[in-house]
Amino acid sequence: MKEPEPYKVLALKYRPRTFDDLVGQLKVSSTLAGAMESGRIHHAYLLTGSRGVGKTTTARIIAKAMNCEKGPTATPCLECAICKGIEDGNDVDVLEIDGASNTGVDNIRDLKEKAYLRPTRARFKIYIIDEVHMLTKAAFNALLKLLEEPPKHVKFIFATTEPHKVISTIVSRCLRFDFERITNSAIVDRLSHICKVEGLGAEPDALRMIALASKGGMRDALSMLDQVVSGAKDRIDTLVVADTIGIIGPEVVKEIVANLYAGNSAEVLRIIDRAEREGRDIPLLLESLIEMFQNLLRVAVAGSEYPLIDETDEMKGWLVQHSRGVPTEIFLMSLEILMEGKARVRETDMPKAALEIALVKISRIKGLIPLTEVLVKLQRLEARLEKSIGLPRPVNPVSFEEAVKLIDSGRTSAKKKSDLAPRMNEQSDDDDWNDSEGVEGPDAGFEETGRGRPDDDSGARDESSEFMADADAREQAESSAEAERAEMRIDDVQRAWDRILAKVEADHGEGVKHTLSSVVPVSVESGQLVVAFREGTRGFIRDVFKSTSCDAKLEAACASVLGSKSLRVRVAAETAADLGPAIPQTVQREASDEGAQSLVEPMVLAAVSEDGVPEAPAEDVGKPRKKASKKRAGKVSEHPNFRRAQEIFDGSLDEEQGGK
């Protein structure tokens, strides 16, 4: 009685035999087939890629193409003794070596001694070394000379899953081919073909579950199919696949995502608990969720036809439906949380707890306020507090746009973060208010949403509550201020310019007035008075203008003379002459020599005085000053500030002028 043939697993039974049979590796197969057909056979090949993508299978196909009795050829006959011997793994001239168990120098030395012997019956002696990265550095170095100048009858084929561990001197002597992960659709098509040949009924969704679990490896997919076929009775469906392999079906993943959108974390926890009791693989469920959110992000950003979305049309429609109207930031935050959860799952012996933490976080995302919105609220609140309580203007504020750029770029240092809230010159005397640090507290921006801090009995909290209750009145006041700024015209400022300078002189002295005489009003834009320096104004005057805060003094004078407390001063980069017709000619005229001298004189006096403060102006500005004594003049000429003034004015000052 003839014994039945032993069962041959699907991975071996349907192993590709030619280049055309390779699945998902079109670039590799076409290149190698063309090389064999043209006779351009290299002495060493390096095949890299993840497990189960066809590296060792391709190595055998290359060996058959080289040694076939009808070769070298791109289509080995598969009938000759050499082809059959290579397929069975017992050909004497094709040696398959496991790099993991032959790692030492002695193994390579033995290989070198045998390599110089001619092949027994084939055209070439071929060495296939699998997992070549497992060789030691000494073994690699021992192989270098043979690999660089091998005998004409010797060929090497290396395969590895970790090419970065192969030393560069080996890689540079080989033709390298990188194998891609096989797409899910290609795996499903191959599994469908095998099921049809084997007479098995299978649902497309069930085969797709196997493809997703194989992670792009055909060998893993065929092994899973073998396992599922053993447990299936009549037909392979999603329930059989889930029960046999322990993976989660797409419907369960969809259910989890839908409940996360709805913020129903309790239902999500029930689904996770049910999956664990049914023996589902928690890490595999987490990976399925990551892939689902990846596809949602891709659809939201690039559309459903994006090439990386390897899904069925039905699934693409579901992705489009559930990504519509959802901010991209939601998907980004969800993926970040899931990736953190994946790292925790690997580190802990309680993967379920790590997954639950991640999913509950995602379910609460919609209740959070985006950071940009918080910044807007803080900025508005700061402005209201400044007007209501009388806080001073910020010394060195950071604009909202700059803050958003710093946060988006991920480069916000601790110093920058402290600058996001304006720094104040003064602090309130209220201890409770000081403890809250102005508007920097985390709850400051949530008053309008009803999620503010609980009330307490402190006076500062009561005052803040009353202030927020009267927000409409302050909004009306702000609108009035904006209307006031809109009504202010440059003509009004120019007509009152002399009075403004007189007010500056009365408040701050003749020196500040002469400094401000170096600028002229140009325009009023969005509540800002734009002033420009006269043409020919020296850099020294510009520095004095900036260092003595003349812009703030000019704002105070404008507020007093014009009655506009909201007008701010901005100095234009251009000179008055560059701005041209925008300025009336009466303002454009250059200062006369006498006027220029009167403008320069107080600056020099400020520079040469011993205490750095300008001398008090004479009662009659037009009356010449009394000459200083010789002792005074000599003392002035030795002062370093006087020497600097001489350099600035091209040496036109003498000791007598300096003493005036």
Side-chain angles (χ1 to χ4, degrees):
M1 184 177 178
K2 187 178 180 181
E3 294 183 2
E5 293 184 4
Y7 177 73
K8 195 171 186 179
V9 299
L10 297 178
L12 296 178
K13 185 177 180 179
Y14 292 95
R15 192 173 196 171
R17 306 175 69 190
T18 65
F19 290 118
D20 293 336
D21 294 338
L22 288 173
V23 178
Q25 308 297 342
L26 181 60
K27 292 187 292 186
V28 174
S29 60
S30 60
T31 302
L32 289 172
M36 298 300 163
E37 195 69 36
S38 62
R40 301 177 66 87
I41 301 175
H42 204 267
H43 68 275
Y45 297 88
L46 176 62
L47 311 180
T48 71
S50 57
R51 71 176 191 270
V53 295
K55 299 185 298 297
T56 306
T57 298
T58 302
R60 289 189 176 186
I61 295 174
I62 294 173
K64 287 185 287 185
M66 288 182 180
N67 282 349
C68 179
E69 293 179 358
K70 298 180 180 180
T73 176
T75 55
C77 68
L78 308 178
E79 299 296 333
C80 65
I82 295 177
C83 288
K84 290 182 178 180
I86 293 173
E87 286 188 342
D88 295 338
N90 54 22
D91 187 81
V92 294
D93 294 322
V94 178
L95 306 175
E96 295 191 26
I97 301 173
D98 180 18
S101 57
N102 297 274
T103 61
V105 177
D106 293 336
N107 303 110
I108 300 301
R109 186 181 295 116
D110 183 60
L111 182 151
K112 291 175 65 176
E113 291 175 356
K114 295 178 180 178
Y116 288 99
L117 301 177
R118 295 193 62 83
T120 302
R121 62 174 180 174
R123 189 175 295 107
F124 301 106
K125 179 176 284 189
I126 301 173
Y127 290 93
I128 300 175
I129 304 180
D130 199 8
E131 300 301 332
V132 68
H133 66 273
M134 300 292 289
L135 297 181
T136 63
K137 187 174 181 180
F140 275 128
N141 291 330
L143 187 61
L144 278 178
K145 185 63 177 177
L146 178 61
L147 189 62
E148 185 174 9
E149 298 178 358
K152 293 183 179 180
H153 60 271
V154 175
K155 305 295 179 185
F156 290 96
I157 305 175
F158 303 132
T160 179
T161 56
E162 301 182 52
H164 59 280
K165 292 185 178 181
V166 181
I167 63 176
S168 58
T169 49
I170 293 291
V171 176
S172 64
R173 289 167 170 80
C174 302
L175 286 184
R176 176 172 172 172
F177 292 90
D178 296 323
F179 285 66
E180 300 175 350
R181 288 184 181 270
I182 305 173
T183 61
N184 293 334
S185 56
I187 293 176
V188 170
D189 292 342
R190 182 65 173 170
L191 296 180
S192 300
H193 171 72
I194 293 174
C195 289
K196 188 179 296 184
V197 173
E198 293 289 326
L200 301 171
E203 294 179 358
D205 288 343
L207 298 181
R208 189 161 194 85
M209 288 175 63
I210 296 175
L212 289 171
S214 68
K215 299 180 182 179
M218 182 63 73
R219 185 178 63 236
D220 290 359
L222 292 174
S223 299
M224 291 180 190
L225 180 61
D226 238 337
Q227 184 179 353
V228 171
V229 169
S230 301
K233 295 181 179 179
D234 301 325
R235 185 176 176 82
I236 300 174
D237 55 22
T238 56
L239 183 60
V240 172
V241 174
D243 290 339
T244 306
I245 304 177
I247 61 177
I248 302 294
E251 296 303 322
V252 178
V253 178
K254 291 180 183 178
E255 186 180 1
I256 293 175
V257 173
N259 282 283
L260 289 176
Y261 273 133
N264 192 356
S265 54
E267 182 62 26
V268 171
L269 295 181
R270 280 192 288 269
I271 296 173
I272 300 301
D273 184 65
R274 184 178 70 235
E276 186 191 38
R277 284 188 281 103
E278 293 175 354
R280 302 293 184 260
D281 192 326
I282 295 298
L284 198 56
L285 170 58
L286 181 55
E287 291 180 5
S288 299
L289 286 168
I290 290 175
E291 184 171 1
M292 180 68 76
F293 275 99
Q294 273 185 304
N295 287 332
L296 286 168
L297 177 63
R298 290 164 180 166
V299 170
V301 173
S304 60
E305 300 305 319
Y306 190 59
L308 291 180
I309 304 175
D310 186 19
E311 298 288 349
T312 62
D313 293 339
E314 180 183 356
M315 178 59 77
K316 287 182 179 179
W318 186 90
L319 293 172
V320 170
Q321 178 184 356
H322 285 77
S323 63
R324 186 181 296 116
V326 180
T328 306
E329 289 76 9
I330 297 293
F331 300 132
L332 292 173
M333 293 179 66
S334 301
L335 281 171
E336 289 178 358
I337 294 172
L338 289 174
M339 294 304 295
E340 291 176 0
K342 184 177 180 181
R344 290 181 178 178
V345 165
R346 286 197 300 263
E347 297 170 356
T348 182
D349 55 354
M350 301 178 65
K352 179 185 175 185
L355 178 60
E356 289 177 342
I357 292 172
L359 295 182
V360 170
K361 283 183 179 180
I362 294 175
S363 67
R364 305 292 176 87
I365 287 179
K366 283 193 173 182
L368 301 178
I369 299 179
L371 185 57
T372 53
E373 185 178 340
V374 173
L375 288 174
V376 171
K377 291 179 179 292
L378 289 175
Q379 195 175 46
R380 291 175 179 172
L381 181 61
E382 185 273 337
R384 294 176 181 177
L385 291 173
E386 179 182 338
K387 293 182 179 180
S388 173
I389 305 178
L391 293 176
R393 292 184 62 203
V395 177
N396 198 10
V398 175
S399 69
F400 170 69
E401 292 77 8
E402 293 173 345
V404 172
K405 288 180 181 178
L406 290 171
I407 293 169
D408 290 343
S409 63
R411 294 181 288 103
T412 308
S413 63
K415 181 179 179 180
K416 292 285 185 182
K417 289 178 181 176
S418 66
D419 288 340
L420 294 183
R423 298 185 295 274
M424 300 300 176
N425 287 331
E426 300 176 4
Q427 294 182 346
S428 172
D429 294 331
D430 194 330
D431 293 337
D432 291 332
W433 178 256
N434 288 336
D435 291 340
S436 67
E437 295 184 5
V439 297
E440 295 185 20
D443 299 323
F446 296 89
E447 299 292 343
E448 296 181 0
T449 63
R451 291 192 293 273
R453 291 186 295 263
D455 295 335
D456 57 26
D457 297 328
S458 67
R461 297 297 188 272
D462 293 339
E463 183 179 345
S464 178
S465 300
E466 294 175 4
F467 165 70
M468 294 304 296
D470 200 28
D472 293 338
R474 282 188 297 277
E475 289 285 355
Q476 208 168 24
E478 290 180 8
S479 302
S480 301
E482 292 178 0
E484 176 188 335
R485 288 195 295 267
E487 293 175 359
M488 184 65 61
R489 296 180 302 174
I490 186 60
D491 295 343
D492 302 330
V493 179
Q494 291 170 347
R495 281 194 296 268
W497 190 244
D498 291 339
R499 288 186 289 133
I500 292 173
L501 294 181
K503 176 63 176 174
V504 169
E505 181 180 8
D507 292 343
H508 304 287
E510 184 181 7
V512 177
K513 173 195 172 183
H514 283 302
T515 303
L516 288 175
S517 299
S518 62
V519 299
V520 293
V522 175
S523 63
V524 176
E525 302 172 358
S526 303
Q528 287 187 331
L529 170 60
V530 181
V531 297
F533 283 100
R534 300 178 186 272
E535 185 177 10
T537 301
R538 296 179 180 271
F540 176 69
I541 304 300
R542 296 173 183 263
D543 294 341
V544 171
F545 186 97
K546 182 178 180 181
S547 63
T548 57
S549 302
C550 285
D551 53 348
K553 297 171 182 176
L554 182 57
E555 289 175 3
C558 289
S560 176
V561 174
L562 301 175
S564 175
K565 298 182 179 179
S566 59
L567 196 64
R568 297 291 180 256
V569 172
R570 178 172 65 85
V571 181
E574 302 88 348
T575 63
D578 294 333
L579 296 173
I583 311 169
Q585 292 184 1
T586 56
V587 181
Q588 286 190 49
R589 67 179 184 274
E590 298 293 335
S592 62
D593 293 340
E594 181 179 355
Q597 180 64 26
S598 65
L599 177 65
V600 168
E601 185 178 4
M603 297 300 102
V604 177
L605 288 173
V608 302
S609 61
E610 293 182 355
D611 54 0
V613 179
E615 296 180 356
E619 296 180 359
D620 188 358
V621 177
K623 187 182 298 182
R625 299 175 182 269
K626 295 182 180 180
K627 292 186 178 181
S629 64
K630 293 183 179 180
K631 180 178 179 181
R632 167 74 172 174
K635 187 176 182 181
V636 168
S637 64
E638 295 174 0
H639 199 286
N641 288 342
F642 180 82
R643 295 175 184 174
R644 183 181 174 215
Q646 282 186 312
E647 293 175 1
I648 294 173
F649 295 97
D650 301 326
S652 60
L653 298 175
D654 55 22
E655 295 179 356
E656 292 296 322
Q657 290 174 325
K660 290 180 181 180

